[in-house]
Amino acid sequence: MQTSEKIVALGVGRKGCQIVEQMLGKIDGVEFANVRFQAEDDVLNLFNVPLKFNLEKDDDCNKIIDENFQDADLIFVIGDSPLVSSVVKAAKEAGKLTIGITTSNNENLRAEFKQASDALISFNEVLFSEEQIKLSQNVVESIVNLITKSGFINLDFEDIKAILQNTGTAFLGTSSAEGDNRAKIAALQAVSMCGELKNVKRILLNITTGSEISLSEMADAAGIIQEKANPDMQSIWGHVIDENLENNVKVTFIAGMCDKVSVSL
């Protein structure tokens, strides 16, 4: 599926750079870059991401976005450095859809990151690094594939934007299954990752298969997730074909709380 949207993933600080490094060559349709403060350890030289930026002060974030990513439509900002809020704020002020991903348990950092971005997905700091990388990749891959890849139910950038823009705190649910009732099983396992979904206001759902799947199978998976969530929520779901999955069904959703604080000017 042809798309004109430009998508960027920015790793910020050591953890963000590490996560973005592991995405290289695994996700099509994304431009990768790493960012660090001049005062931090020289983490950029440890990684092979082609675009690397050094910052001397917060104001440099706006310059980096304006000079290098002015034509971007969607920017993922990934990391747990104090710099992440400044980077994502610059991207959002430039009119980009901004998705934050962090592994930090620092409540102040999370609050600032959430307020500065359209949506923030957090993973527990105690997870093994490999699991943090895998989950972060799932977030980026599931959103990007809905925009760039074809399936039986195709979404576009405006559909993604309608769900994720200004959604605040967001949660990831993802799982795969094969055999009988594979879509239902994958959906139930994905829901179990998030626990309670009753306060969720928006859900973006990606159903990915390597082979054919019936509309009723997909509807069953979507129905399970909707049943567990708020009946008045806004939801959009799409289907993507990935032949590498063979007979598996992968269900991934991002659930948004719409809990950003309104700021009076």
Side-chain angles (χ1 to χ4, degrees), residues 11-17 34-45 52-62 64 80-88 109 112:
V12 182
R14 181 178 291 271
K15 180 57 70 67
C17 292
N34 279 340
V35 181
R36 68 148 194 152
F37 261 136
Q38 196 76 41
E40 292 180 310
D41 293 338
D42 191 16
V43 299
L44 295 186
N45 291 331
K52 303 176 183 181
F53 302 100
N54 288 298
L55 303 180
E56 294 183 2
K57 53 186 184 299
D58 284 5
D59 291 346
D60 289 344
C61 296
N62 298 84
I64 285 176
D80 54 9
S81 161
L83 178 62
V84 290
S85 297
S86 299
V87 174
V88 81
L109 185 147
E112 291 177 5

Side-chain angles (χ1 to χ4, degrees), residues 120-139:
L120 176 65
I121 301 167
S122 303
F123 300 120
N124 199 312
E125 204 170 40
V126 302
L127 290 172
F128 289 115
S129 179
E130 292 80 4
E131 189 67 13
Q132 294 172 349
I133 291 169
K134 181 179 178 182
L135 292 172
S136 299
Q137 182 176 324
N138 268 324
V139 172

Side-chain angles (χ1 to χ4, degrees), residues 131-151:
E131 189 67 13
Q132 294 172 349
I133 291 169
K134 181 179 178 182
L135 292 172
S136 299
Q137 182 176 324
N138 268 324
V139 172
V140 176
E141 190 172 38
S142 64
I143 294 173
V144 170
N145 285 352
L146 283 172
I147 300 171
T148 63
K149 291 192 175 182
S150 298

Side-chain angles (χ1 to χ4, degrees), residues 29-253:
V30 180
E31 183 175 335
F32 297 99
N34 279 340
V35 181
R36 68 148 194 152
F37 261 136
Q38 196 76 41
E40 292 180 310
D41 293 338
D42 191 16
V43 299
L44 295 186
N45 291 331
L46 300 176
F47 304 104
N48 297 314
V49 175
L51 291 176
K52 303 176 183 181
F53 302 100
N54 288 298
L55 303 180
E56 294 183 2
K57 53 186 184 299
D58 284 5
D59 291 346
D60 289 344
C61 296
N62 298 84
K63 184 178 180 181
I64 285 176
I65 298 298
D66 291 341
E67 293 184 356
N68 298 277
F69 305 112
Q70 192 57 48
D71 58 345
D73 299 282
L74 167 59
I75 297 181
F76 295 92
V77 179
I78 306 163
D80 54 9
S81 161
L83 178 62
V84 290
S85 297
S86 299
V87 174
V88 81
K89 181 180 179 183
K92 187 164 173 57
E93 287 178 347
K96 317 306 177 187
L97 180 64
T98 55
I99 311 300
I101 303 173
T102 187
T103 60
S104 174
N105 287 336
N106 184 301
E107 291 185 8
N108 290 333
L109 185 147
R110 284 191 178 191
E112 291 177 5
F113 201 175
K114 179 182 75 173
Q115 193 61 25
S117 58
D118 281 298
L120 176 65
I121 301 167
S122 303
F123 300 120
N124 199 312
E125 204 170 40
V126 302
L127 290 172
F128 289 115
S129 179
E130 292 80 4
E131 189 67 13
Q132 294 172 349
I133 291 169
K134 181 179 178 182
L135 292 172
S136 299
Q137 182 176 324
N138 268 324
V139 172
V140 176
E141 190 172 38
S142 64
I143 294 173
V144 170
N145 285 352
L146 283 172
I147 300 171
T148 63
K149 291 192 175 182
S150 298
F152 300 130
I153 301 174
N154 293 316
L155 302 184
D156 59 24
F157 178 70
E158 292 304 317
D159 294 320
I160 307 302
K161 189 174 181 179
I163 295 295
L164 296 180
Q165 189 171 47
N166 292 318
T167 199
T169 302
F171 304 98
L172 172 73
T174 183
S175 186
S176 61
E178 60 180 335
D180 295 339
N181 298 314
R182 55 185 182 162
K184 288 183 178 180
I185 293 170
L188 286 169
Q189 291 173 343
V191 168
S192 69
M193 277 187 64
C194 297
E196 181 59 61
L197 293 178
K198 291 299 182 184
N199 294 322
V200 165
K201 301 296 191 298
R202 299 174 184 170
I203 284 185
L204 176 67
L205 172 62
N206 176 339
I207 300 172
T208 302
T209 62
S211 57
E212 291 188 2
I213 186 172
S214 67
L215 183 60
S216 62
E217 256 191 299
M218 291 190 284
D220 286 343
I224 286 170
I225 294 167
Q226 290 168 344
E227 180 184 338
K228 299 292 183 180
N230 185 335
D232 298 323
M233 71 168 182
Q234 180 184 2
S235 65
I236 295 179
W237 56 285
H239 172 260
V240 172
I241 297 172
D242 180 355
E243 294 180 353
N244 292 323
L245 286 180
E246 297 181 346
N247 293 319
N248 284 273
V249 171
K250 183 177 181 180
V251 173
T252 303
F253 66 84

